[in-house]
Amino acid sequence: MRKSLGWVFLLMLLIVTACSVDQMANKASAEKPAEGDVEEHSTKQVEQTEKETPVKEQEPEFDNMYPLTGEKTNDDVSHRIMAVMVNNHSYARPQTGLNDADLVYEVLAEGSITRFVAFYHSKQPEVVGPVRSAREYYFNIAKGYNAIYLYHGAAEYIENKLRAGAIDHLNGMYYDNDRNLFKRENFRKAPHNSYILLDAVYDVAKQKGYSVTMNHEPLPFLTEEEIQSLDGQRASNVKITYSNTPQETVTFKYNPEEETYARFNDGEATVDYQTKEATTVDNIFIVETGHRVIDSKLRRAIDLQSGGNGYLIQKGQVQQVTWKNENGRLYPFKDGKKLGFVPGKTWVNIVPEQPGLSQSVSITSQ
């Protein structure tokens, strides 16, 4: 009897143990994910990690920088700057090739009419013009950039200074309509129809013994961090009045989406004659200085040395500045520190100190 009970007890113990093992196995099987689940879980973890730690894109590296725009490039930048006298008479508008200029100085020529010194380096259009005559203050501006000075005609005393070596230059009067360096267009009348062909400039310059390469001193440019921290008054519209009789005005209107200023002359948009594209700039630098009429044709002598007051307008903001001439170039200063330009195109407007900035320039936030 006792022996039978022992076997019964042993049998029950084996059954209980087997059930416990099955339960543990089932539990482990329930807790262990299937093979597909493991792969999906791992993929989700990797995706989550990638989202949490974004890969920083490596900024492209460039070997060079264009000296007048501050834009980076891997192209050679040692070619010489060209400075072209561009006509701004109403009969000469719209101009050709002006949009490709890196830098433009706008200064009164005679009477109330301004004229441009347009500097070409990062881009060189095939044709620029109409081209007009030289003035001493214009070629002095060009000299500050070691440019080849390109113009068509000059008063005798100006031409004598140029031929005496004031600056490397090419005068369209000696190449008039040669169809290589200069050409006359029939859709305008002289003297508003002379155009320069920039592709020929270096070859003709070398024939005259001029260097066509140069180590350039770049303009000062702002870093991205400095641009973000610009602090000034809002400047959405800038109006410069050169004369009230007749009305001669220049207006720049800010486009916040493009972060550039579009130029207007006497209420009409400045556009390229061929492409019809609008003229836009990144920096507007306005300076006031002494102007003096020197002859019956209302030609002027202009003081580019003494310094004075000005405005620097960038990214929809304006700062009151002073200007100084350093080695032939005009620079903006504030609190004794030289300021930088936003990389891109710059337009310099020089206005007479009489009536001065307060009367000649209007800047509004709307």
Side-chain angles (χ1 to χ4, degrees):
M1 183 68 177
R2 289 179 181 175
K3 190 174 180 180
S4 297
L5 291 173
W7 279 105
V8 171
F9 176 78
L10 180 60
L11 181 60
M12 292 177 65
L13 181 63
L14 289 172
I15 292 171
V16 170
T17 303
C19 290
S20 298
V21 171
D22 287 343
Q23 288 177 351
M24 292 176 65
N26 290 336
K27 182 178 181 182
S29 177
E31 292 178 350
K32 181 180 179 182
E35 184 177 348
D37 293 339
V38 172
E39 182 178 346
E40 182 179 352
H41 181 67
S42 300
T43 302
K44 287 182 177 179
Q45 279 187 324
V46 171
E47 290 177 351
Q48 184 70 18
T49 303
E50 289 178 348
K51 289 180 180 179
E52 292 176 353
T53 56
V55 178
K56 185 177 180 181
E57 292 186 9
Q58 186 175 1
E59 298 221 355
E61 296 183 0
F62 297 97
D63 296 328
N64 299 313
M65 179 183 77
Y66 289 115
L68 301 183
T69 67
E71 295 168 337
K72 304 295 180 63
T73 181
N74 283 320
D75 293 337
D76 178 48
V77 297
S78 64
H79 52 286
R80 197 160 178 190
I81 296 168
M82 295 181 282
V84 184
M85 289 300 308
V86 179
N87 190 348
N88 191 39
H89 193 283
S90 59
Y91 295 161
R93 303 174 198 153
Q95 295 89 351
T96 298
L98 194 58
N99 288 357
D100 289 324
D102 294 338
L103 170 68
V104 177
Y105 276 73
E106 181 171 6
V107 198
L108 284 166
E110 64 266 341
S112 60
I113 301 171
T114 63
R115 193 168 294 176
F116 308 137
V117 188
F119 292 84
Y120 294 88
H121 186 260
S122 70
K123 296 180 180 178
Q124 296 182 2
E126 292 183 7
V127 180
V128 174
V131 181
R132 280 305 307 270
S133 58
R135 297 284 189 278
E136 185 170 5
Y137 48 90
Y138 291 126
F139 73 65
N140 282 332
I141 290 171
K143 189 174 182 179
Y145 296 86
N146 293 314
I148 300 174
Y149 183 58
L150 308 166
Y151 62 102
H152 194 138
E156 185 177 357
Y157 75 98
I158 295 295
E159 186 66 12
N160 288 340
K161 289 184 177 183
L162 289 164
R163 296 179 70 177
I167 186 174
D168 291 350
H169 63 280
L170 298 174
N171 183 351
M173 185 172 65
Y174 304 112
Y175 305 92
D176 190 6
N177 207 29
D178 67 351
R179 314 301 291 183
N180 176 51
L181 185 62
F182 280 85
K183 68 175 180 177
R184 295 278 183 176
E185 293 287 11
N186 58 15
F187 58 84
R188 289 208 170 107
K189 295 182 179 180
H192 311 294
N193 66 344
S194 178
Y195 291 77
I196 189 166
L197 308 173
L198 291 189
D199 286 347
V201 169
Y202 292 146
D203 287 340
V204 178
K206 284 190 286 187
Q207 293 171 14
K208 294 200 67 173
Y210 300 152
S211 173
V212 296
T213 59
M214 189 73 62
N215 292 322
H216 301 291
E217 176 67 27
L219 292 171
F221 291 100
L222 298 172
T223 64
E224 191 61 37
E225 292 75 17
E226 289 171 330
I227 293 173
Q228 296 302 321
S229 62
L230 280 172
D231 185 22
Q233 301 294 318
R234 284 188 61 189
S236 296
N237 286 279
V238 181
K239 182 178 180 181
I240 305 168
T241 302
Y242 278 99
S243 174
N244 289 317
T245 53
Q247 183 80 4
E248 291 285 342
T249 61
V250 174
T251 306
F252 294 94
K253 295 183 179 181
Y254 187 60
N255 182 334
E257 295 181 358
E258 299 292 334
E259 296 186 319
T260 59
Y261 286 87
R263 184 183 184 278
F264 296 77
N265 214 138
D266 297 336
E268 293 187 6
T270 304
V271 300
D272 185 87
Y273 178 81
Q274 294 180 339
T275 68
K276 310 306 178 186
E277 291 181 357
T279 300
T280 61
V281 299
D282 300 274
N283 305 276
I284 307 165
F285 182 29
I286 307 173
V287 305
E288 67 173 16
T289 192
H291 289 53
R292 181 169 55 88
V293 175
I294 59 174
D295 63 23
S296 60
K297 293 186 177 181
L298 301 182
R299 297 190 182 101
R300 292 175 169 86
I302 296 179
D303 179 8
L304 297 175
Q305 299 297 324
S306 299
N309 296 318
Y311 294 119
L312 180 60
I313 302 162
Q314 308 158 304
K315 298 291 183 181
Q317 300 178 64
V318 57
Q319 299 181 74
Q320 293 189 30
V321 298
T322 59
W323 67 270
K324 296 180 182 179
N325 185 317
E326 290 189 352
N327 300 318
R329 300 183 182 187
L330 307 189
Y331 293 112
F333 283 79
K334 188 173 183 179
D335 299 327
K337 179 183 177 182
K338 184 187 295 184
L339 301 182
F341 297 102
V342 171
K345 298 177 181 179
T346 299
W347 204 288
V348 182
N349 283 82
I350 298 177
V351 302
E353 64 181 3
Q354 295 296 330
L357 292 176
S358 61
Q359 299 295 317
S360 299
V361 182
S362 170
I363 302 175
T364 59
S365 60
Q366 296 295 330

